[in-house]
Amino acid sequence: MPDLLIELLSEEIPARMQTRAADDLKRLVVEGLAGAGLSHAAAAAFASPRRLVLSVEGLPAESPATREERKGPRADAPDRAIQGFLRATGLTRDQLETRETARGPVLFAVIEHPARPVAEIVAAVLEAAIRGFPWPKSMRWGAGRLKWVRPLQSILCILSDGEDAQVVPLEIDGICAGDTTRGHRFMAPDSFSVTSFDDYRARLKRAHVLLDSAERADHIWHEATASAFARGLEIVEDRGLLAEVAGLVEWPVVLTGEIGAEFLELPGEVLRTSMREHQKFFSLRNPQTGQIEGFATVADRETGDGGAAILAGNARVLAARLADARFFWENDLRVARAGLGSWLDSLDRVTFHRRLGSQGARIARIEALARELAGPVGAAPEAAGQAARFAKADLASEMVYEFPELQGVMGRYYLAEAGLPPEIARAAEEHYAPLGPSDSVPEAPVSVAVALADKLDTLAGFWTIGEKPTGSKDPFALRRAALGVIRLLLENRIRMKLAPLVERQILRHEIAGRGEGEERALLEDLLGEIARHGVFGIAWKALKERCRGSLPQHLEEVSERLPETAADLLGFFHDRLKVHLRAGGIRHDVIDACIAMPGNDDLPLLVRRAEALQDFLGTEDGENLLRGFRRANNILEQAERKDGVEYSFGGDIGFAEAEEERALFQALSEAGERIRQAVADEEFATAMVALAALRTPIDAFFEAVQVNADSPILRRNRLNLLSDIRSLCLSVADLRRIEG
Amino acid sequence: MPKTPAPPRSFQEIIQRLQSYWSMRGCAVLQPYDMEVGAGTFHPATTLRALGPRPWAVAYVQPCRRPTDGRYGENPNRLQHYYQFQVLLKPSPPDFQEQYLGSLEAIGIDMSLHDIRFVEDDWESPTLGAWGLGWEVWCDGMEISQFTYFQQVGGHDCHPVSGELTYGLERLAMYVLGIDHVMDMPFNDPDAPTPLKYGDIFRQTEEEYSRWNFDVADTAMLLRHFEDAEAECRRILEQPAQDPKTGRRIVMAHPAYDQCIRASHIFNLLDARGVISVTERQAYIGRVRALAKACADAFLETEAGGGAL
């Protein structure tokens, strides 16, 4: 049973692509072999900075010979059909067999696939794998046409069986497969030949290459931990960095050093970010104080001086980098201690988005909204406004220009230096959160107010200019912003109506985008009216009356498109909410049934209703009530269609004939009272329990009473009775939207 | 492997060794382009010559200007005017990495003591409509070169592919010479009768240009010049290929490209003056790229570009 070994040696493969590439090589080759009828016992793939390696054990020496029969057209079919069959099978007419079948003489092709030697199959499969390799980005080099992630230098491809190793004959764009490879680029550059995977792996190790990335990562982690320990420090865990560094070296050698005392005053986040982003250093921390005091770097070789020159070089680069960082920090501190004014001024001159104005204008809008949000989230309006005004000041700082990922973190430091209260400094860091579905949500009221205002302003802005996410395209991370708003509201149980806030913020964008002079004043008026009336439509009417109908054209246009824009944005929130709740196990039709209800822009309320409904539908009472509702609704809808009227007057117990009918009237009036009260109190579970009590009288009614009675008066009264059931149920949730 | 040569003693010696190394490997050693550029890649010997089928092999020093990097001569590593050493080989040779490593030995880096790494760094120049794959090369954690296989320039696929090397000369030299502040680096031999340090030559100019770049340059004038360069580039390329005076076919790709370089540098100056917003930036970059593409199109019609004769 031969074993296959493949090594593709190239110039340095980007670290982030290696693992995926090893998996792809394995998949392509194994699938290709299987497609040719070759099974195998085991397969393993490996990657290092310069090689992709695949070992496949226990292949058969050749593929099984197979015989394929294909049924063709009838023997007397038109010539065209027979010619087509010959082309498809690659046979000639006299090679076809004619067999008698139930539908007469039919042509059959019998194609023999002889056994193929494994080497021939491997060559074809590997060539196809190389030519069609799914690199995220590939390139050409020299004058050739072949594409690979970086220039491909050699191919090792052997089949070994016991002592014997055979090179698989293969040539791709001038590269001939062989049985040789090379070791570490600097420590063992000479080529050597191998006879099997075990031999290959052992020789590579002697040639200073650790083949397995997991082994390299392990080695790095242990060495770094031990070396840090010897310095009285501990390594700060960073799995992403560990995986990356393991992909940058074939022969890892860990070297540790200490950070110069003159840099220890820098915030830990700055030290870590600078070391990680610029130099791929691990941070070493003092276990007592938590202070970052040292670094670990991973070299790709041993040297005669025990790494002294490498360490000294790295330390020098680090010192230069940190000197830069300290320069930024000190400059920034001067601005911060002077009250941050110059940063706020400079943000007026920085464009946030071509059609959404400057960062300064954006901050002013966020501040206005944060003040309005302060009440519902339980913050002082002045504090929320102040926090919003300063939350993005660090965007103008030198440190954030250098390390954009430190936005917010630096804000917290700088605001504290400016003497602002801790809750305001904290909001600078926290207002960006949550950044994703698993990121934690701020709880401090001031942070929540700014976080909400920031996200709502972004959404309102991009909706105003019609830049909504489409398909996989969401360049401004608007889905993330909407989910952030949803999580902030739900997890902090913040009760407020989103619609008027969204309308006002869209209006603010319209003002910023356009209005001057009189028009601007009118828009500001309108903003006030929305605040007073809560609803755009009424506010608009009030304004129109005040101006006796003579409003500028632009304002008319705004008033026409605003309700639609706001409704569309609210719909976007509902879509994101569905996705969010579905992840939490709530059915989409249950959510739809609740979105259809009034107050759907109060998200915690909406979710409470949905949770109660989902629980209710899970009970037997719920199921039966749903059935009763559907029956009532179907009869009603049929009758309404037929009669062309809507039955909504309510029934009159005076016309009730049957006992079951009277009982249902009775039950409806009792439950109705309780349900209306419970809904008003937002006690949806209570409302649903009360609904469930209707199940028995409804069932009994349908059992005993013919709705479509001969007497038109009786029929009308009964239909009106059913409409009572419908409207009562619909006052809890729109059960018509429940599926199944 | 040959023994590492004696360590160089000055900035200029490092430049000389690189020139002689690449000269020995068959490169034409060119002189710097006589215009202000942000990177050695802008030299037409790279940008334009990477296009078309003709083989090419050049090396040259190119002074570069990046107005936003000015630090009044105070920062140990940042300068608004600095030097790059640029190598372009078309087609890229199979042993390009080894040739490059040889150049490091030539300037005195002892390969047995240092940690050289090729770290992914895909190169893209939005202003040139160009991209390539390659690495930044690290020596003991410091980036000392850019190594790129050009895939596209001016929107055209490169075939054959050029291999490009860019050495950041100050940084590399500081490393080799063991200098911590660029201004302390010996420019000529430290034992010369008049030893000159980098700072003796450039500290004052860094200070002067930093002030001008950041606070004094006349932005209204620069905006006008940007428009002028753009218009002139277009006008040059709109001329009929047939020269009415000589009767010859003369496509003026290089003069047009000069205007593209000019527009690009003016844009950098405007950027340093802080008058270009994030979104306007994209628009300006797009305008320069459109010029670069038009110049690349024109070059491909010329003899050097392998176009119709």
Side-chain angles (χ1 to χ4, degrees):
Chain A
M1 298 289 270
D3 298 331
L4 170 65
L5 171 63
I6 295 169
E7 181 206 58
L8 305 171
L9 184 78
S10 67
E11 298 180 7
E12 279 73 359
I13 306 167
R16 67 192 168 90
M17 299 178 189
Q18 291 168 16
T19 307
R20 171 77 192 280
D23 291 344
D24 284 335
L25 178 64
K26 179 168 146 184
R27 179 178 53 80
L28 290 171
V29 171
V30 164
E31 282 176 5
L33 295 175
L38 294 184
S39 59
H40 66 279
F46 305 89
S48 84
R50 296 174 67 205
R51 19 195 135 226
L52 286 185
V53 175
L54 177 66
S55 155
V56 183
E57 290 173 20
L59 287 168
E62 55 181 33
S63 63
T66 52
R67 189 165 186 276
E68 184 190 356
E69 270 193 22
R70 273 201 240 169
K71 189 173 167 186
R74 284 171 57 107
D76 54 1
D79 193 48
R80 212 154 42 91
I82 295 174
Q83 288 305 322
F85 185 58
L86 292 176
R87 269 197 305 279
T89 55
L91 297 182
T92 55
R93 176 68 184 83
D94 56 348
Q95 287 173 305
L96 298 184
E97 290 176 22
T98 307
R99 294 187 199 160
E100 280 305 320
T101 71
R103 60 175 183 115
V106 168
L107 293 174
F108 278 82
V110 178
I111 308 161
E112 299 284 348
H113 295 291
R116 289 166 71 202
V118 62
E120 184 188 317
I121 295 173
V122 165
V125 166
L126 181 56
E127 174 160 3
I130 290 173
R131 291 197 188 277
F133 206 83
W135 290 110
K137 250 186 192 175
S138 59
M139 53 163 274
R140 288 177 288 103
W141 60 94
R145 288 282 178 190
L146 185 63
K147 285 191 153 195
W148 199 244
V149 63
R150 292 294 183 274
L152 181 61
Q153 290 175 326
S154 71
I155 301 173
L156 181 157
C157 186
I158 57 170
L159 284 161
S160 33
D161 205 348
E163 297 297 291
D164 264 4
Q166 169 206 353
V167 172
V168 173
L170 169 69
E171 187 195 322
I172 299 178
D173 277 37
I175 304 171
C176 283
D179 63 354
T180 62
T181 184
R182 275 169 278 170
H184 189 276
R185 182 188 279 287
F186 299 105
M187 298 180 75
D190 295 336
S191 91
F192 54 90
S193 62
V194 301
T195 56
S196 69
F197 176 66
D198 288 341
D199 180 46
Y200 169 76
R201 190 173 182 153
R203 279 175 195 265
L204 265 190
K205 197 163 184 170
R206 284 203 293 279
H208 300 284
V209 175
L210 285 182
L211 179 60
D212 189 348
S213 64
E215 191 181 344
R216 295 194 300 270
D218 248 24
H219 178 85
I220 292 167
W221 188 252
H222 283 112
E223 293 280 302
T225 307
S227 179
F229 184 76
R231 292 178 181 274
L233 300 173
E234 64 185 13
I235 183 165
V236 179
E237 185 164 334
D238 190 337
R239 289 182 181 283
L241 182 61
L242 181 61
E244 186 184 358
V245 171
L248 288 174
V249 293
E250 293 203 309
W251 193 249
V253 175
V254 174
L255 302 166
T256 60
E258 276 162 29
I259 297 171
E262 67 271 37
F263 302 120
L264 294 180
E265 67 184 79
L266 286 169
E269 291 95 334
V270 171
L271 291 173
R272 273 192 68 181
T273 307
S274 175
M275 293 201 291
R276 181 187 207 280
E277 298 306 315
H278 286 147
Q279 293 184 267
K280 306 191 196 302
F281 283 2
F282 293 92
S283 294
L284 304 184
R285 152 178 78 198
N286 180 325
Q288 266 83 50
T289 61
Q291 163 97 42
I292 307 286
E293 293 177 0
F295 65 88
T297 181
V298 184
D300 188 25
R301 63 166 309 154
E302 292 164 20
T303 57
D305 63 353
I310 297 175
L311 186 61
N314 274 285
R316 234 174 63 212
V317 181
L318 176 65
R321 289 287 192 188
L322 294 184
D324 250 6
R326 197 178 53 181
F327 177 74
F328 302 143
W329 170 246
E330 285 168 357
N331 287 350
D332 286 349
L333 284 184
R334 269 195 291 279
V335 180
R337 287 173 186 151
L340 306 159
S342 66
W343 286 344
L344 294 188
D345 291 345
S346 73
L347 287 175
D348 283 338
R349 296 190 300 272
V350 177
T351 307
F352 165 58
H353 180 279
R354 187 171 52 87
R355 295 175 62 197
L356 296 176
S358 70
Q359 288 284 15
R362 177 184 179 211
I363 290 167
R365 282 192 310 269
I366 295 173
E367 181 179 343
L369 183 57
R371 284 175 191 277
E372 293 171 4
L373 284 163
V377 308
E382 191 44 46
Q386 198 181 22
R389 190 157 65 249
F390 290 110
K392 293 187 188 294
D394 66 347
L395 293 183
S397 70
E398 295 185 18
M399 191 70 86
V400 173
Y401 182 82
E402 187 69 12
F403 297 111
E405 61 269 53
L406 287 178
Q407 68 175 16
V409 173
M410 297 322 297
R412 189 187 77 221
Y413 282 105
Y414 296 148
L415 265 53
E417 287 290 338
L420 290 163
E423 57 171 353
I424 290 180
R426 185 170 167 191
E429 177 168 18
E430 292 186 338
H431 85 279
Y432 290 105
L435 288 173
S438 54
D439 190 24
S440 64
V441 169
E443 291 167 3
V446 172
S447 301
V448 173
V450 183
L452 280 172
D454 183 22
K455 293 168 181 65
L456 284 170
D457 179 69
T458 300
L459 287 160
F462 285 104
W463 247 256
T464 304
I465 60 170
E467 292 267 359
K468 298 183 272 187
T470 50
S472 62
K473 285 214 181 82
D474 184 9
F476 306 106
L478 300 179
R479 292 193 180 101
R480 191 173 80 185
L483 177 64
V485 170
I486 288 167
R487 291 190 56 211
L488 281 158
L489 293 174
L490 295 185
E491 292 175 33
N492 289 302
R493 295 174 203 288
I494 295 166
R495 299 292 309 278
M496 60 179 200
K497 298 180 77 56
L498 263 183
L501 286 169
V502 163
E503 285 168 352
R504 278 213 294 283
Q505 208 62 8
I506 292 174
L507 203 51
R508 284 200 177 95
H509 279 283
E510 296 279 7
I511 293 174
R514 170 76 185 244
E516 270 164 22
E518 189 196 8
E519 210 170 297
R520 188 176 186 115
L522 282 172
L523 281 159
E524 293 281 4
D525 268 2
L526 191 51
L527 218 46
E529 294 286 354
I530 301 181
R532 205 165 313 134
H533 297 286
V535 185
F536 178 77
I538 302 174
W540 173 246
K541 243 169 91 184
L543 183 72
K544 214 163 172 174
E545 269 164 26
R546 215 146 36 88
C547 303
R548 297 194 187 79
S550 63
L551 289 172
Q553 180 61 27
H554 169 248
L555 211 50
E556 291 280 357
E557 286 167 20
V558 169
S559 82
E560 264 167 45
R561 67 172 174 257
L562 189 141
E564 205 179 309
T565 310
D568 193 60
L569 178 51
L570 204 60
F572 183 69
F573 276 113
H574 286 148
D575 287 345
R576 301 328 297 165
L577 180 68
K578 274 195 230 178
V579 173
H580 179 62
L581 292 182
R582 216 154 33 203
I586 296 190
R587 286 159 41 182
H588 69 97
D589 55 338
V590 166
I591 306 168
D592 280 335
C594 298
I595 289 176
M597 302 303 293
N600 66 1
D601 64 336
D602 177 340
L603 300 187
L605 178 76
L606 174 55
V607 171
R608 282 239 308 275
R609 194 192 292 266
E611 285 168 348
L613 181 57
Q614 170 122 339
D615 287 348
F616 179 58
L617 292 176
T619 64
E620 200 197 333
D621 275 350
E623 265 178 50
N624 287 325
L625 179 87
L626 183 62
R627 216 170 297 137
F629 165 79
R630 282 193 177 137
R631 193 160 168 191
N633 191 47
N634 286 343
I635 293 172
L636 207 47
E637 280 183 350
Q638 268 172 24
E640 284 175 336
R641 260 200 306 279
K642 188 169 149 220
D643 305 348
V645 292
E646 190 188 273
Y647 291 98
S648 56
F649 282 124
D652 183 343
I653 194 167
F655 293 106
E657 270 193 346
E659 193 171 326
E660 288 81 357
E661 197 174 5
R662 267 193 298 278
L664 182 54
F665 267 111
Q666 200 64 41
L668 271 176
S669 101
E670 282 165 18
E673 202 48 48
R674 285 211 303 280
I675 289 168
R676 269 183 287 277
Q677 190 55 49
V679 169
D681 295 344
E682 300 172 358
E683 296 293 341
F684 299 110
T686 311
M688 287 174 199
V689 169
L691 264 190
L694 291 175
R695 167 201 160 187
T696 319
I698 289 176
D699 286 353
F701 170 81
F702 281 125
E703 195 68 30
V705 178
Q706 174 80 31
V707 175
N708 285 314
D710 293 336
S711 149
I713 295 172
L714 271 186
R715 176 170 176 270
R716 198 179 317 124
N717 195 47
R718 283 174 185 165
L719 287 169
N720 273 318
L721 171 62
L722 295 189
S723 88
D724 281 340
I725 297 176
R726 178 171 71 182
S727 62
L728 199 56
C729 288
L730 293 185
S731 74
V732 178
D734 190 347
L735 297 182
R736 287 170 300 194
R737 291 174 194 261
I738 301 299
E739 293 170 0
Chain B
M1 252 187 241
K3 199 175 145 11
T4 305
R9 293 163 53 82
S10 66
F11 186 56
Q12 70 190 27
E13 189 182 346
I14 289 173
I15 296 176
Q16 284 159 354
R17 287 198 192 183
L18 284 173
Q19 286 178 327
S20 99
Y21 178 86
W22 288 106
S23 164
M24 300 274 287
R25 267 159 189 74
C27 285
V29 176
L30 305 185
Q31 299 305 316
Y33 202 58
D34 58 345
M35 289 188 71
E36 297 138 309
V37 294
T41 307
F42 273 85
H43 195 309
T46 290
T47 309
L48 296 181
R49 296 289 177 156
L51 291 162
R54 294 178 190 274
W56 189 249
V58 294
Y60 56 88
V61 174
Q62 179 64 48
C64 303
R65 302 205 189 201
R66 289 200 184 155
T68 45
D69 279 350
R71 294 291 183 274
Y72 301 84
E74 288 166 7
N75 188 284
N77 305 298
R78 267 187 221 252
L79 299 160
Q80 56 83 41
H81 171 281
Y82 63 100
Y83 292 100
Q84 286 185 344
F85 190 86
Q86 177 91 1
V87 178
L88 193 82
L89 301 181
K90 179 168 86 172
S92 65
D95 62 345
F96 197 27
Q97 277 187 317
E98 280 68 31
Q99 289 198 34
Y100 166 72
L101 293 170
S103 75
L104 297 184
E105 297 231 55
I107 58 172
I109 295 181
D110 181 346
M111 291 305 203
S112 69
L113 286 181
H114 295 280
D115 181 33
I116 307 289
R117 224 80 74 66
F118 293 87
V119 179
E120 177 191 14
D121 187 35
D122 298 345
W123 172 79
E124 192 181 354
S125 170
T127 39
L128 289 177
W131 68 276
L133 298 189
W135 311 272
E136 47 185 51
V137 184
W138 287 16
C139 176
D140 302 339
M142 188 177 66
E143 185 195 336
I144 51 169
S145 307
Q146 285 281 135
F147 193 125
T148 308
Y149 292 100
F150 278 5
Q151 302 295 301
Q152 262 197 356
V153 173
H156 295 274
D157 279 345
C158 298
H159 189 81
V161 166
S162 300
E164 183 212 39
L165 294 172
T166 303
Y167 304 74
L169 282 172
E170 282 82 357
R171 219 194 300 196
L172 179 62
M174 282 166 69
Y175 193 78
V176 170
L177 301 172
I179 305 291
D180 287 327
H181 198 298
V182 62
M183 295 299 170
D184 297 334
M185 178 162 64
F187 201 103
N188 61 356
D189 194 295
D191 296 330
T194 309
L196 291 170
K197 295 198 163 160
Y198 197 92
D200 296 326
I201 301 169
F202 289 117
R203 188 190 296 277
Q204 182 182 325
T205 54
E206 280 299 305
E207 207 176 18
E208 292 176 6
Y209 278 104
S210 293
R211 182 173 177 203
W212 183 71
N213 292 338
F214 288 129
D215 300 316
V216 177
D218 180 344
T219 55
M221 177 206 70
L222 289 172
L223 284 164
R224 271 197 321 274
H225 285 187
F226 182 92
E227 308 275 341
D228 289 348
E230 187 183 37
E232 178 65 359
C233 180
R234 297 259 175 237
R235 201 181 62 82
I236 295 171
L237 294 176
E238 278 162 13
Q239 301 300 313
Q242 181 88 15
D243 173 25
K245 197 169 83 195
T246 62
R248 273 180 287 189
R249 187 174 183 281
I250 307 179
V251 174
M252 294 165 287
H254 287 80
Y257 181 63
D258 282 353
Q259 299 303 321
C260 170
I261 294 179
R262 182 159 289 141
S264 173
H265 178 63
I266 293 170
F267 161 71
N268 289 341
L269 285 168
L270 287 165
D271 198 23
R273 288 287 277 118
V275 293
I276 293 184
S277 70
V278 180
T279 33
E280 278 178 321
R281 256 184 90 79
Q282 290 315 311
Y284 274 101
I285 288 172
R287 286 164 72 178
V288 177
R289 180 170 54 238
L291 299 182
K293 284 192 163 158
C295 294
D297 294 347
F299 177 75
L300 285 171
E301 290 174 29
T302 67
E303 187 182 341
L309 298 177

